[in-house]
Amino acid sequence: GQLVHPNVVTLFEVGEADGVTFLVLERVAGGSAADRLARTGPFDWRTATRVAADVCRGLAAIHDAGFLHLDIKPANVLLP
């Protein structure tokens, strides 16, 4: 919850239960880029450009806040 940005999913809690670490994240209705790619195939160039720019803005905000995202992949890109 320290970082609030339109291109970053809010992290509410990190915890552990029965030896399993979990994250509680903001719900994003659109699913992941990986899900959409599997359903509909490659993005058209306009959509791909918008998604890439949004990811870059989110990563810049994360880095400016002193954090790193170490697992950037379509499954971790959530779409509105």
Side-chain angles (χ1 to χ4, degrees):
Q2 296 177 14
L3 177 61
V4 177
H5 188 276
N7 300 112
V8 177
V9 175
T10 302
L11 172 64
F12 295 114
E13 182 179 353
V14 177
E16 184 178 329
D18 299 324
V20 176
T21 303
F22 65 87
L23 305 174
V24 178
L25 303 170
E26 170 186 8
R27 186 180 185 307
V28 179
S32 74
D35 293 338
R36 187 164 307 165
L37 288 165
R39 267 194 332 270
T40 64
F43 296 138
D44 64 77
W45 71 269
R46 285 180 182 88
T47 302
T49 301
R50 181 186 49 78
V51 170
D54 288 347
V55 169
C56 289
R57 282 189 280 273
L59 289 172
I62 290 168
H63 292 176
D64 287 348
F67 300 104
L68 292 176
H69 190 303
L70 300 175
D71 194 18
I72 302 162
K73 60 187 178 187
N76 289 339
V77 174
L78 302 180
L79 304 172

